[in-house]
Amino acid sequence: MTSTVPASLTRTAEGSALQAVLLDMDGTLVDTEGFWWDAEVEVFKTLGHVLDETWRDVVVGGPMTRSASFLIEATGAAITLAELTVLLNDTFEKRIGRGVPLMPGATRLLTELAAHEVPTALVSASHRRIIDRVLASLGPEYFSLTVAGDEVTRTKPHPDPYLLAARGLGAEPARCAVIEDTATGVAAAEAAGCRVVAVPSVAPIAPAARRLVVGSLEEVDLVFLRGMMTRGH
């Protein structure tokens, strides 16, 4: 976990129940879900296997250990999980080396949160080496804290990453708004007790208690997030 602003400096916006905003990375802030699939296809091609396109929905949004384990079992590839993880990270890192495209509305939202001094954390299932590379495109100055998938014992869909982020920002999970794009991430955030804004990137996500679903980050701003926290659902 990397923190750029001490938790003691965090504060709640006056008149709002919102204490912090916690954001997923891949597919939420940056358009990289396709990059991961392309990297997986490339790696398995070198191993002599062709990935079935239907597997894409199975592996998207999950921690690498789960996705990689599934693909090893599905293909029967003669490679260990540890070896495959290194290959996938290396291949993905090469693909994002020239920068990554941001999702529509991402820069505007991050800029607004920073302008209003809302404590903000990046919470990703990606490994630290990948997060640090993507931050060069996103802007590390927007985040008080970042949590990587290889820095927690249990990553998404377990609540641990979001509980760690909330604690690091000095916020109550119930007063944190989480923005996620996959069912795996949504499950992690809800298990942590957070309110969730789902912005589906690949597979649909249904509305539910304590969860709002929008089509794009362009529909999300600080007024939206504060209002969500006070709704009785």
Side-chain angles (χ1 to χ4, degrees), residues 1 12-13 15 24-25 28 32-33 38 48 54 102 104 139 172 185 187 199 203 209:
M1 179 175 71
T12 306
D24 173 55
M25 187 177 75
T28 299
T32 51
E33 293 292 11
D38 291 344
T54 62
L102 272 59
E172 302 169 28
V199 192

Side-chain angles (χ1 to χ4, degrees), residues 48-137:
H49 298 274
V50 177
L51 299 188
D52 191 316
E53 184 70 23
T54 62
W55 296 341
R56 183 170 184 158
D57 289 345
V58 178
V59 301
V60 68
M64 181 176 293
T65 51
R66 188 194 74 184
S67 301
S69 295
F70 169 83
L71 292 174
I72 290 173
E73 183 176 353
T75 60
I79 189 170
T80 67
L81 178 59
E83 292 169 337
L84 179 57
T85 296
V86 171
L87 287 177
L88 289 175
N89 273 322
D90 286 347
T91 304
F92 182 79
E93 195 167 2
K94 289 177 184 176
R95 286 181 173 270
I96 64 174
R98 293 185 295 273
V100 295
L102 272 59
M103 299 298 283
T107 298
R108 176 202 50 76
L109 176 59
L110 292 174
T111 300
E112 182 182 16
L113 293 174
H116 289 271
E117 298 184 296
V118 178
T120 304
L122 184 68
V123 184
S124 176
S126 291
H127 289 190
R128 170 57 56 189
R129 60 182 285 197
I130 300 300
I131 286 182
D132 287 345
R133 179 62 69 92
V134 174
L135 277 172
S137 297

